[in-house]
Amino acid sequence: MTSYLTAEQPHRVADVLPVLTQRAEWGAVRMLFSQQLQQGDSGGQRVPNLLMDAFAVALEQVSACYAMDWETMCLHALTALADVQRAEYIDLELFQKYYEFDIRGVASGMVPGSRRRPGTGEAIVETCRRLRDVHRLSAALRRTGSSGLLIGSMNYGRYYNIRGNRDGEGASDLDLIVVLDDATGLLPLADGLANVPCVRRSDVDRFRQRAEVFMSEFDDSRTVFSHKVQLWPDCVPDPMLPREIAAADYLLSIHVMTPPVLRYILVDSTPELARETSGGRRTLPDYREAQHDRWDDVYDFAARQDRAVLHEVEVRDGWVRSPRCYHFDDDDCYFPGFYQSMFIPGPNLVWDDRAIHFPIAVFRNKLAQRLRDEATRRRHAMLRQSFAHVRRDDFAPSVLRTLDGAYSGS
């Protein structure tokens, strides 16, 4: 979708189909979409999560054929859906139908126990937009001597639950961990952000201002720097999302860490996650823009919650809060905390100038071993890595299967 879709410039399905069929095998996407339509037409009140997940997996597999060409991927996906329904044009009306409604023509809405489910086209468009944008960010930031990790919903819900900016609920963030040699790298990082056309300039200025405060007051090799930047503000139109459909803006959430901070989170001082060698709990200060919440909620592998008061202090140009990295309870059960949950499931390493994939792999092995150790002690309990994540209900079923094994169907 390389130019605006307008009422005067619809895409003809017949013009796109020959290119689509040469580029990738769309058979699974088409069949699963048709199956969902049939399920709805037969009177089903809700398409099963597993069917929606299979559709998302099929889209993920097809996307490998597009080699960073996410605009074309988006257009071809919508064309495949349109052809299944015998539509002749992809125009604003059809785009809006797919973006705002699920495949049965029922307005997308809340699913019990989770946040709003996006429309079929909404999940496709918003996933492709973020994949395009993270590629652009990678190109701009890899010159800063850093490493970047894609975390959050784009790591566990692609083409499944990525939401746009509509219905009064904010769009899904694009979440990144950036690892820098030292805090002085924040300024080149700001320069890199300024070179990305979809980033709001005032947010970059604010990032630079807070970075200078951080370097002068909080740079102790023990504190995380967090900041949110708006992408695609009103003044910067996005050719993948017509203004008539929805607002294009969403937030880039960046957590910047130095190697000592990352090592502390990943407990690299010991080969195992054990109270005797690593301590009963660890916290880390986080210098962020706004006050967050009064509670620090963590969960163990059995989905039990441990709630503590979140210590927060207002400081210059922000707040410092200190959530837990992990926690052991009195029964020696392990609770991954806010920071370690960023690595569940394993993050997507977007660029890596610092070879941080090695310590992350070691931590992932230690986490799996801790689960096995607790399963030996608690052999009748159902223990899963995903139970320890606060957003577990938003995980795509395929992600749960990969993370937890055969017993995590949804």
Side-chain angles (χ1 to χ4, degrees), residues 138-149:
S138 171
L141 300 181
R142 67 171 63 249
R143 296 188 295 270
T144 60
S146 61
S147 294
L149 297 163

Side-chain angles (χ1 to χ4, degrees), residues 6 24 33 53 60 81 118 138 156 202 204 213 229 233 280 299 301 345 347 356 362 367 372 383 386 396 398:
T6 67
F33 183 58
D53 177 62
E60 181 75 26
L81 306 191
S138 171
Y156 54 71
S202 59
V204 176
V213 173
V229 173
Y299 297 83
F301 300 129
I356 64 171
V362 171
L367 196 65
R372 289 191 290 268
L383 306 182
S386 68
S398 57

Side-chain angles (χ1 to χ4, degrees), residues 171-317:
S172 300
D173 286 4
L174 180 61
D175 299 284
L176 287 178
I177 293 174
V178 178
V179 181
L180 298 169
D181 278 332
D182 55 63
T184 60
L186 284 167
L187 297 182
L189 186 62
D191 294 337
L193 288 171
N195 291 325
V196 181
C198 63
V199 175
R200 189 166 68 174
R201 300 297 83 138
S202 59
D203 284 5
V204 176
D205 294 340
R206 174 70 172 160
F207 182 100
R208 186 176 286 107
Q209 175 185 334
R210 294 191 64 243
E212 291 174 348
V213 173
F214 181 84
M215 288 187 293
S216 64
E217 299 182 23
F218 303 107
D219 180 18
D220 57 1
S221 297
R222 297 181 178 181
T223 304
V224 177
F225 175 89
S226 295
H227 193 88
K228 291 182 182 287
V229 173
Q230 188 183 49
L231 304 184
W232 300 105
D234 290 341
C235 60
V236 183
D238 186 345
M240 288 180 69
L241 184 61
R243 291 183 187 273
E244 297 91 337
I245 304 301
D249 64 296
Y250 70 92
L251 292 175
L252 167 65
S253 181
I254 304 176
H255 304 278
V256 181
M257 305 173 183
T258 56
V261 170
L262 182 65
R263 289 195 295 267
Y264 193 71
I265 293 171
L266 301 182
V267 197
D268 81 333
S269 58
T270 173
E272 59 181 350
L273 301 176
R275 180 200 296 267
E276 296 80 9
T277 55
S278 59
R281 68 196 295 264
R282 293 187 181 191
T283 62
L284 265 179
D286 182 9
Y287 175 58
R288 54 194 300 128
E289 294 169 272
Q291 192 172 17
H292 187 258
D293 196 355
R294 64 174 298 191
W295 301 115
D296 180 20
D297 291 329
V298 296
Y299 297 83
D300 75 346
F301 300 129
R304 295 183 305 135
Q305 181 188 68
D306 185 273
R307 169 165 284 188
V309 175
L310 182 60
H311 180 66
E312 292 187 293
V313 178
E314 188 171 13
V315 296
R316 185 155 68 104
D317 287 333

Side-chain angles (χ1 to χ4, degrees), residues 320-356:
V320 173
R321 66 173 190 150
S322 299
R324 285 172 285 183
C325 300
Y326 68 79
H327 168 78
F328 283 97
D329 70 1
D330 292 338
D331 295 321
D332 197 35
C333 295
Y334 191 78
F335 293 70
F338 172 72
Y339 297 112
Q340 288 189 350
S341 293
M342 295 178 180
F343 299 88
I344 304 174
N348 184 358
L349 195 57
V350 183
W351 74 95
D352 190 15
D353 296 338
R354 306 203 74 268
I356 64 171

Side-chain angles (χ1 to χ4, degrees), residues 69-146:
D69 186 5
W70 303 114
E71 291 86 352
T72 302
M73 165 70 188
C74 184
L75 173 59
H76 286 188
L78 297 179
T79 300
L81 306 191
D83 189 52
V84 169
Q85 295 194 294
R86 301 295 188 265
E88 184 176 2
Y89 293 96
I90 301 175
D91 53 18
L92 286 174
E93 182 179 358
L94 186 64
F95 195 119
Q96 186 166 27
K97 173 187 174 182
Y98 286 146
Y99 193 89
E100 294 188 356
F101 293 83
D102 72 17
I103 46 78
R104 290 169 294 128
V106 180
S108 60
M110 295 298 295
V111 176
S114 64
R115 292 176 287 181
R116 176 178 67 82
R117 167 173 286 173
T120 303
E122 179 184 2
I124 293 171
V125 173
E126 296 300 336
T127 297
C128 288
R129 294 179 66 220
R130 283 157 182 76
L131 288 170
R132 174 204 59 192
D133 294 343
V134 78
H135 175 61
R136 292 177 176 176
L137 288 162
S138 171
L141 300 181
R142 67 171 63 249
R143 296 188 295 270
T144 60
S146 61

